[in-house]
Amino acid sequence: MDDMSSDFWMDKGCSAAPDHIPCPAIVARSDCHEHIPSWLLALPYPAALVSYDGATLDIENCNALFQRHFKALIDNPDIDGVEWQRYLLDQISSFALSKNEVSRFDIERQSVLGTEVYMCTLAWVQNSADSSPMILVSAIDRTADRRVEDSLRRELVSDTLTALPNRIGFGEAVESMLLDFDGEDPDTGISVIIIDLMRFSRINEALGTMAGDELILAVAARLKARLGDDILLARLGGDEFGICCTIPQGEDHIHDLVKRIKDTITAPVRLANLEISIDCAIGCSLVPVAEAEADELIRQAQTAARSGKKTGRAELYQPGELKIARRRFLIESQLRDTLANGGLNLMYQPIIELASSTVVGFEALARWEDPEMGVISPVDFIPVAEESGLVVQLGRWALQEAMCQLRSWDAKMGMRVPVKMNVNLSPIQMVRDDVIATITRALQEAEQQGDRLTIELTESAIVGDPEKSLLLLNALKKSHIAVAMDDFGTGYSNMASLQSLPIDVLKIDRSFVSDMLVDQDKMAITKAILSLAKALNMKATAEGIEDAEVAEALRDLGCTYGQGYYFAKPMNADDALNYWLESSKRGIN
Ligand code: C2E
Ligand code: MG
Ligand code: MG
C-alpha cells in the first residue's frame, strides 16, 4: 500500500489511505433502493453500488435482485458469525484498498436447498460526473452450473455400475488418504491392494454381459460388507478392484487381510442358476506412510498383481520389480521401432560334428544393439517380444534373414556350402503365426530347400498343444526340414509325446553340459539324455561346450554334435563363413 498515492484515495472519495485493512463496518442506507441509476436496475443479476471511506462500507444503491438475494446483508449489517458475509466484505474492502480495476471471486452460502454459489465481480464505477467513484458489486448465480459440474465430476470419479470410485477416483482418494494421515506412527504403513478377477472374460462370453455385471456387483457388495467402511474400495476397470488402507507394518498383517479378501471373492456366487466360483490374482504394495506416493503405490501393486497372475499366489511388491517392469516396457517400445527399422542382427554360432570335427551348421542368434540402451541380450528381449506378440514379427525376420544368409554364402563361395542353418522358433510363434506359411515364404524368397533348415523348438512349445505340434512337425518333415528340441532337460517333456513326434535332434541344455565333469548328477543327466536320444533314434547336440575335455568326453559318450565357446562364440556372417572355410580346410582340433 505504500506506493498508493494520496490522489488515488482522494479520487475514490476517501480522506486518506488507511494504514491497514480495517474490519469494515457496513452501512446500508435506508434509501439504498431509491434514486437507483437506471443502468443498475437494468442489470439482469444482483448488483449494488458501494462506497468505502477507509472504515465503513456503505451500500449506496442496489437493484431489486440484490435486495432479494442479499437481503441478509442489507437487513443485518452486523456480519459476525456469517461466514459468506464476512468473506464478501473482506473482499470488497481489500479491493477498495488495492489498485486493481476488477476483482472476481466466488462466494458460497448454505440455503435450505443446499449450497448456493455466486460469482462476484467488483469494479470501480463513476456514477455521475460530480460524484466519487464507487464499487460496483455484482453477483451471478452459478449454483446450477456448479451442480452440473459436481455431478459431472462425480461421474468422472465413480464407476457407473458399482458406484464405487473408479480409477481416477481411486488415485485421488489414495492421495487424500496420504495427506490426511499424520504419519507419526512409523509402525503404520499404507497398503494398496489390486485384485484381478481371473477368467472374468470367459464368464462374460459364456453367460453374457448381464451375468458379468451381476458378478461384479456381487463381488463389490461382498468386499464392501466384509472390509467395512474404513477401507477404501474402488473398481478400477472391467475385472480389476483396488483397495487402500492403513495397516500395521509387517507382512503378517497384510497376509491376514489378503486372506480375508481371497476368501470373500472365492466363495461361490449364484449366477443365472449356476453356482460359479471365481478366483483372483492379488498384488499388494506396502510402505511406511511417510514414504508413500499415491501413483507409485498403485503402480507397485499392479506390478505385483501381474506377478500374482503368473504364480497364482498373492504377491507383495518387491523393490526393484517396478524397475524391471519399466525396463521391459522400454524394451518393448524400442523393439517395436527396431524391428520396423531393420535394427536387429543375426550372429552365427557353429555346430560341430564331434567325431569328425567338421562344421555341419550354424545356429542363427538374434542380436540387438540399441543406441541408448546398449547391447541387449536375447535373454532379455525375447521374453518381452513373446509377451507383446512382437516375437511373430521377429521370428519371421530371423527366418528370412538366416535363409538369405545361406544364399549369400553360397553365392560368395560359388557352391552350395554344406551347412545347415538352425533357427529358433518361439512357442508363441507356434500359437500365433501360420508357421508353415512363414517358413515356406522364407525358403522361397531365399531360393533354398527345406533340407538346409533346422527349426529349434523348446519343450514348452510342444507341451502346450501336442496335437497341433504333431501336425506342424509332420508338415516340416514333409518339406525335409529338421527339428531340434532346444534346451532339452530343462522342461517337462512327456515321454510318450516325445516318442510320437518326428524330432531329429535333442539339444542337451548347457546347464548340464558346462560342468558335467565336476558334477556327477549333471553327468548322469547328460548320459541319460544321450541314451534317450539313441533309443528314440535321434541325434544329440551338446550346448555350451567351453573346454576341450568336455568336448572329448561328449564325443566318447557318443554325442553327435557340439556347440559352445570352446569352438566359437556367435560371429557375424563374414567371420562365420571364414570359420567354416578354415575348419573345412584343416579340421578343428
Ligand atoms: P539358445 O537357443 O539355447 O541359444 C544358445 C545360447 O547359448 C546363445 O545365447 C549362445 O550364445 C549361448 N552359448 C553358446 N555357447 C555357449 C557357451 O559355451 N557358454 C555359454 N555361457 N553360452 C553359450 P544367446 O545368443 O544369448 O541366446 C539366448 C537365447 O535367446 C537362445 O537360447 C534362444 O532361446 C533365444 N534366441 C536367440 N535368438 C533368437 C531368435 O532369433 N528367435 C527366438 N525365438 N529366440 C532366440
Ligand atoms: Mg537355440
Ligand atoms: Mg539352447
Side-chain angles (χ1 to χ4, degrees):
M1 296 298 146
D2 295 345
D3 59 344
M4 197 85 80
S5 74
S6 56
D7 287 354
F8 179 84
W9 290 102
M10 296 302 174
D11 283 354
K12 290 182 170 140
C14 303
S15 48
D19 297 328
H20 65 284
I21 300 174
C23 186
I26 186 157
V27 175
R29 285 200 168 171
S30 54
D31 62 348
C32 69
H33 44 280
E34 290 167 18
H35 319 296
I36 307 172
S38 54
W39 59 266
L40 192 59
L41 282 175
L43 290 177
Y45 40 76
L49 283 170
V50 174
S51 66
Y52 183 53
D53 63 4
T56 312
L57 285 171
D58 197 345
I59 302 180
E60 304 270 352
N61 283 134
C62 64
N63 63 12
L65 287 166
F66 193 88
Q67 279 189 53
R68 187 169 345 130
H69 291 270
F70 293 92
K71 198 165 183 310
L73 196 69
I74 299 163
D75 290 353
N76 181 17
D78 173 14
I79 40 81
D80 278 356
V82 184
E83 209 173 298
W84 71 266
Q85 276 185 230
R86 159 102 272 149
Y87 181 68
L88 176 61
L89 297 175
D90 279 351
Q91 289 288 328
I92 299 174
S93 53
S94 316
F95 174 71
L97 300 176
S98 76
K99 275 183 172 176
N100 298 341
E101 301 268 300
V102 183
S103 164
R104 279 208 177 84
F105 54 91
D106 283 352
I107 55 171
E108 289 184 5
R109 65 181 195 194
Q110 297 310 316
S111 77
V112 278
L113 294 174
T115 308
E116 291 176 349
V117 185
Y118 287 90
M119 187 183 79
C120 297
T121 305
L122 307 178
W124 291 107
V125 289
Q126 185 91 34
N127 196 14
S128 59
D130 54 348
S131 66
S132 329
M134 280 191 280
I135 301 166
L136 173 66
V137 181
S138 60
I140 298 177
D141 188 349
R142 291 201 58 236
T143 309
D145 294 349
R146 178 65 73 86
R147 290 205 177 124
V148 171
E149 271 169 29
D150 286 351
S151 102
L152 283 176
R153 167 125 205 95
R154 255 195 312 281
E155 263 174 48
L156 185 76
V157 296
S158 50
D159 169 49
T160 41
L161 179 63
T162 59
L164 293 172
N166 62 12
R167 192 175 293 279
I168 301 172
F170 186 61
E172 287 181 358
V174 173
E175 190 119 29
S176 73
M177 265 179 87
L178 287 173
L179 285 175
D180 289 350
F181 197 79
D182 57 19
E184 303 228 311
D185 181 0
D187 294 333
T188 303
I190 189 146
S191 179
V192 168
I193 299 172
I194 300 289
I195 304 162
D196 219 304
L197 304 185
M198 312 276 257
R199 295 177 311 163
F200 177 69
S201 51
R202 287 242 204 113
I203 291 174
N204 256 344
E205 277 162 23
L207 303 178
T209 47
M210 294 267 277
D213 285 356
E214 229 178 285
L215 178 67
I216 292 290
L217 279 168
V219 170
R222 277 183 185 183
L223 283 171
K224 193 90 202 150
R226 186 82 196 264
L227 300 172
D229 287 338
D230 293 343
I231 287 182
L232 170 67
L233 174 67
R235 181 181 176 218
L236 308 185
D239 56 0
E240 196 185 22
F241 286 88
I243 284 174
C244 181
C245 58
T246 51
I247 193 166
Q249 282 279 9
E251 292 191 14
D252 285 354
H253 298 282
I254 194 106
H255 280 151
D256 286 351
L257 178 60
V258 163
K259 185 165 181 319
R260 265 199 292 154
I261 292 171
K262 189 130 189 162
D263 291 348
T264 309
I265 291 179
T266 49
V269 184
R270 236 189 139 68
L271 271 188
N273 283 334
L274 291 172
E275 194 156 86
I276 288 177
S277 294
I278 186 139
D279 201 359
C280 59
I282 297 183
C284 332
S285 54
L286 174 67
V287 294
V289 177
E291 291 167 25
E293 271 187 34
D295 284 358
E296 195 76 359
L297 262 175
I298 297 171
R299 263 201 302 273
Q300 289 179 354
Q302 280 170 330
T303 307
R306 266 196 296 280
S307 311
K309 259 191 183 168
K310 286 185 197 146
T311 61
R313 289 190 308 261
E315 293 290 340
L316 185 61
Y317 170 79
Q318 301 299 330
E321 222 176 321
L322 207 55
K323 228 166 124 192
I324 296 170
R326 281 198 192 120
R327 183 170 156 83
R328 281 176 87 96
F329 178 76
L330 196 67
I331 288 181
E332 183 185 326
S333 55
Q334 299 285 85
L335 184 59
R336 206 174 287 277
D337 290 350
T338 307
L339 270 170
N341 303 328
L344 287 188
N345 276 321
L346 282 183
M347 297 285 253
Y348 303 90
Q349 187 176 35
I351 297 169
I352 316 294
E353 188 179 59
L354 294 173
S356 63
S357 297
T358 48
V359 178
V360 292
F362 288 90
E363 177 171 3
L365 293 159
R367 290 289 174 268
W368 177 17
E369 187 166 357
D370 182 78
E372 280 158 36
M373 293 190 282
V375 177
I376 303 155
S377 160
V379 176
D380 291 332
F381 71 78
I382 296 290
V384 177
E386 286 178 333
E387 210 166 86
S388 59
L390 283 172
V391 79
V392 169
Q393 214 182 325
L394 188 149
R396 288 181 181 176
W397 163 81
L399 265 165
Q400 238 154 22
E401 182 76 13
M403 292 301 103
C404 288
Q405 191 55 60
L406 277 180
R407 182 176 55 185
S408 356
W409 282 342
D410 291 355
K412 208 164 183 180
M413 298 309 299
M415 63 179 274
R416 182 181 145 126
V417 179
V419 290
K420 276 181 165 240
M421 191 66 92
N422 284 32
V423 179
N424 293 284
L425 194 87
S426 151
I428 308 292
Q429 252 177 294
M430 282 184 51
V431 177
R432 300 216 189 153
D433 198 11
D434 182 349
V435 173
I436 295 296
T438 299
I439 293 176
T440 311
R441 209 176 320 121
L443 288 170
Q444 273 170 0
E445 276 176 23
E447 297 158 336
Q448 298 298 314
Q449 303 297 316
D451 61 356
R452 296 195 82 187
L453 175 63
T454 299
I455 291 292
E456 294 199 4
L457 295 173
T458 52
E459 289 162 272
S460 55
I462 286 167
V463 172
D465 190 345
E467 280 167 30
K468 192 172 170 198
S469 309
L470 182 63
L471 288 177
L472 171 71
L473 299 198
N474 281 334
L476 293 177
K477 185 105 276 175
K478 248 173 132 178
S479 307
H480 310 287
I481 298 165
V483 174
M485 185 66 80
D486 205 356
D487 307 339
F488 191 74
T490 56
Y492 303 94
S493 291
N494 171 335
M495 288 300 153
S497 68
L498 197 64
Q499 189 191 4
S500 63
L501 290 170
I503 293 165
D504 304 277
V505 181
L506 294 184
K507 291 190 82 173
I508 311 170
D509 191 67
R510 136 172 133 236
S511 58
F512 308 119
V513 174
S514 327
D515 17 80
M516 59 179 255
L517 296 182
V518 288
D519 184 332
Q520 284 186 350
D521 291 346
K522 291 187 175 167
M523 173 62 103
I525 293 171
T526 305
K527 281 183 177 168
I529 297 175
L530 287 170
S531 314
L532 184 68
K534 199 165 172 200
L536 295 176
N537 208 16
M538 296 171 186
K539 302 259 190 302
T541 303
E543 298 183 303
I545 301 177
E546 293 187 352
D547 51 60
E549 291 75 34
V550 172
E552 261 167 50
L554 283 162
R555 187 187 55 207
D556 295 347
L557 287 170
C559 179
T560 321
Y561 307 115
Q563 182 180 352
Y565 293 172
Y566 167 61
F567 302 109
K569 288 197 168 178
M571 295 170 277
N572 67 34
D574 288 348
D575 292 348
L577 183 62
N578 282 335
Y579 185 89
W580 168 78
L581 250 178
E582 293 296 314
S583 64
S584 65
K585 278 185 207 151
R586 52 182 164 77
I588 294 165
N589 292 323

